[in-house]
DNA sequence: ATCGCAAAGTTGGGGCTCCAGCAGTCATCG
DNA sequence: CGATGACTGCTGGAGCCCCAACTTTGCGAT
């Protein structure tokens, strides 16, 4: 706050202000390193660092060979959780109901539970579960990663069975009574960054979802969403 | 993925791996810039950049004069939304029920709604609303920021009234029937970063919460939580 | 044994430079 | 007239350096 703040902060704050008040609208070209050094009378290091900070905040994006641009608002598509939708994740179903063309690839494999899953599914660490990886795309672009874990006996045997977890469980005599979702945010792992084609500086929303039948967890999954594209919407009756 | 990846990435990935597999446990000292240049045979710039990337991911934290350390797991305190708690936000109430000593400061002021709030409260842009800023602290440290907006007629007149929004609304003949929360993640604004004492690289969870009485919004608030300390937990009956 | 202080080590800000790779632009050549 | 290629400007990686502010450590004196 003092007058002797780092000089790169002066640049960061001035550009950030211009973005927020609309002087630099989405898509606008930010002055280049060389221009910033002249404009703010700072060294190249400071100009460069300022651009990196703004990029890591997700406000601007650097296009190599071209320049830094103000990020498009990307509009934070809402994902509504007020109805119970599956097929095969409720998020994909909600996007479809909003008119998105959602497609997905998946593959299943057996896996050992391990400590984390053992806790979440309340099974033994050495138990074998079915792990299914999904990659969801909307209009070609990757939208969401999901990894679902189920005890072997509940694994789907057909494409149709995969559509609705609730129906499948019901067929096994298990009635799902509750869904618990735990959301946090973190920097993407390198593999997620690549799979979701994330610009640097974008964090992910990590949703840990568990389906319960009474006091027994019957399926759990990790869902990874780009933090700059989605908001999770929860509706609760009082 | 090729062998000619940036060299700083080699350093980042190696340290990240060591943190994930436990070779470098929480609190462990990361080699210094000088040591990294020797160990990985890279220049100082690359070593420095690697440390900055790890810090911006929230994996390590730099202590000036001392060194970089693996961040303590900070345990992502869960905030449960399965019961309707207020007084004055449900998150604070949930933390109290987990044994935290939560205190808060607040101040109210009239404010013009403006376009964003006009949309959220379904009022005219020039309507005056009561804006209340809260700063919540747990064990001394800042935990959460909240800003609540209410039409003037619903504003609380006593400390007691402030405790329960539901009861207060009921006293006005308004029965709250639904709570809608919309969660996204973003980089903190400078003021939030300062107020919450956030390390660089930590994003925030921004919860937009609106209370509805039938099809009419009667209160809305913005809640800002450090992304590295909390996870939101939603429980929904099927 | 303890206190104080100086030296060494470390981070973070800042400066300068070189280079590879990419994207436009513009002029020249077929 | 159209296509090719040279040139310029930009980003991102990388190297090296200096300095201020701070911590840790270890030594020497009391």
């Amino acid at each position: 706050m003092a007058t002797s703040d780092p000089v790169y902060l002066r640049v960061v704050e001035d550009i950030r202000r211009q973005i927020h008040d609309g002087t630099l609208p989405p898509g606008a070209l930010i002055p280049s390193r060389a221009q910033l050094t002249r404009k703010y009378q700072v060294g190249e290091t400071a100009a460069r660092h300022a651009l990196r900070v703004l990029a890591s905040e997700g406000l601007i994006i650097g296009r190599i060979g071209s320049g830094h641009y103000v990020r498009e608002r990307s509009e934070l598509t809402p994902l509504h959780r007020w109805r119970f939708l599956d097929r095969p994740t409720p998020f994909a179903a909600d996007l479809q109901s909003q008119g998105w063309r959602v497609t997905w690839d998946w593959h299943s494999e057996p896996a050992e539970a391990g400590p984390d899953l053992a806790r979440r599914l309340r099974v033994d660490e050495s138990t074998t579960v079915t792990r299914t990886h999904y990659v969801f795309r909307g209009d070609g672009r990757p939208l969401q990663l999901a990894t679902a874990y189920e005890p072997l006996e509940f694994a789907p045997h057909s494409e149709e069975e995969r559509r609705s977890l609730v129906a499948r469980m019901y067929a096994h005599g298990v009635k799902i009574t509750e869904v618990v979702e735990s959301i946090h945010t973190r920097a993407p792992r390198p593999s997620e960054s690549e799979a979701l084609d994330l610009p640097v500086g974008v964090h992910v929303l990590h949703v840990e979802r568990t389906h319960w039948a009474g006091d027994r967890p019957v399926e759990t999954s990790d869902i990874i969403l780009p933090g700059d594209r989605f908001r999770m919407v929860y509706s609760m009756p009082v």
Side-chain angles (χ1 to χ4, degrees), chain A residues 12-219:
Chain A
V12 167
E13 279 165 12
D14 194 51
I15 296 178
R16 187 154 44 195
R17 188 188 48 71
Q18 290 183 58
I19 293 175
H20 279 133
D21 73 17
T23 312
L24 288 169
L29 181 62
I30 305 284
S32 72
R33 272 184 349 210
Q35 291 172 326
L36 288 177
T37 57
R38 283 195 294 276
K39 180 172 177 190
Y40 294 93
Q41 292 292 305
V42 298
E44 224 214 77
T45 310
R48 179 190 288 232
H49 190 42
L51 289 173
R52 181 146 45 198
V53 167
L54 288 165
S56 81
E57 287 179 0
L59 283 175
I60 66 176
I61 184 156
R63 271 192 263 283
I64 178 170
S66 172
H68 281 94
Y69 298 85
V70 179
R71 285 268 304 274
E72 302 291 339
R73 283 272 285 102
S74 74
E75 271 319 316
L76 290 179
T77 304
L79 289 174
H80 297 276
R81 298 296 284 109
W82 56 285
R83 265 180 312 190
F84 189 82
L85 304 158
D86 40 19
R87 160 192 36 175
T89 85
F91 310 120
D94 188 36
L95 284 170
Q96 284 183 321
S97 77
Q98 291 181 47
W100 287 64
R101 292 163 42 83
V102 180
T103 59
W104 57 87
D105 295 326
W106 58 273
H107 70 273
S108 288
E109 71 211 359
E112 197 176 73
D116 184 51
L117 270 163
R119 184 180 46 74
R120 284 165 66 180
L121 282 177
R122 298 212 184 146
V123 295
D124 203 71
E125 291 200 16
S126 56
T127 309
T128 302
V129 297
T130 299
R131 175 170 59 200
T132 310
H133 295 281
Y134 295 90
V135 179
F136 292 85
R137 292 166 192 285
D139 305 329
R141 291 183 53 197
L143 278 183
Q144 172 194 140
L145 306 177
T147 311
Y149 301 89
E150 301 163 291
L152 285 181
E153 72 252 45
F154 297 141
H157 292 100
S158 69
E159 196 56 30
E160 208 44 46
E161 272 190 11
R162 186 170 302 279
R163 295 292 168 132
S164 171
L165 175 73
V166 181
R168 184 164 88 239
M169 288 298 176
Y170 200 78
H172 282 92
V174 175
K175 188 169 180 312
I176 293 179
T177 53
E178 196 170 32
V179 189
V180 179
E181 293 186 356
S182 164
I183 306 177
H184 70 277
T185 180
R186 56 172 173 78
R189 315 231 181 287
S191 61
E192 295 163 349
S193 192
E194 197 190 350
L196 290 173
D197 196 17
L198 295 180
V200 287
V202 171
H203 280 218
V204 295
L205 287 170
H206 181 158
V207 182
E208 247 180 71
R209 191 182 58 198
T210 303
H211 288 91
W212 294 77
D215 56 358
R216 175 177 162 220
V218 292
E219 188 259 12

